[in-house]
Amino acid sequence: MTGDLGPAGRIVRAFIESKLTPLLVLTAIALGAFAVMNTPREEEPQIVVPMVDVFVELPGASAEEVENRLTIPLEKRMWEIPGVEYVYSVSMPGRAMTIVRFVVGEEEEASLVKVYEKLASGMDRIPRGAS
């Protein structure tokens, strides 16, 4: 019957018949428990992910017009800021919301200043009637 077994079958049979198998299993469980208990962890890590919400209004405009005239140009300008990781936007009739998320660890106050400066430097480019 051993002739029918392939290499994997012979290895399995050796482990099944060996008296060391329970010892190996207990050792693996003990090492796993030791690793879990000694891995450092924090219950409430202090991770800083600066995010800025920018709200822009264009009263009377459709969602498509808001997207074309406000949202897309605003997204492009926000991507120019160093340290920006993601830019999310939502266009609705008459208004748009853009969320600018910075890289983890960026200083929150400095990130706010960067967004403010970028918005202030582009005030001449916003459509008439937008706020």
Side-chain angles (χ1 to χ4, degrees), residues 44-85:
E44 293 183 31
Q46 301 302 313
I47 299 173
V48 176
V49 183
M51 295 178 76
V52 180
D53 296 339
V54 180
F55 295 91
V56 185
E57 293 190 7
L58 187 60
S62 67
E64 186 177 338
E65 186 179 359
V66 168
E67 180 180 6
N68 292 328
R69 294 182 66 198
L70 293 176
T71 306
I72 293 173
L74 182 60
E75 282 181 347
K76 288 178 182 176
R77 293 201 45 87
M78 294 299 107
W79 276 115
E80 295 172 359
I81 301 172
V84 169
E85 187 173 22

Side-chain angles (χ1 to χ4, degrees), residues 70-128:
L70 293 176
T71 306
I72 293 173
L74 182 60
E75 282 181 347
K76 288 178 182 176
R77 293 201 45 87
M78 294 299 107
W79 276 115
E80 295 172 359
I81 301 172
V84 169
E85 187 173 22
Y86 294 106
V87 176
Y88 309 97
S89 294
V90 178
S91 298
M92 300 164 270
R95 71 186 102 185
M97 178 180 75
T98 300
I99 302 167
V100 182
R101 191 174 107 188
F102 287 83
V103 177
V104 174
E106 281 277 324
E107 198 171 315
E108 191 169 11
E109 193 170 322
S111 300
L112 289 170
V113 170
K114 289 177 191 177
V115 170
Y116 177 78
E117 287 175 348
K118 186 57 91 169
L119 289 172
S121 70
M123 289 303 283
D124 59 333
R125 297 181 184 161
I126 64 170
R128 188 174 299 275

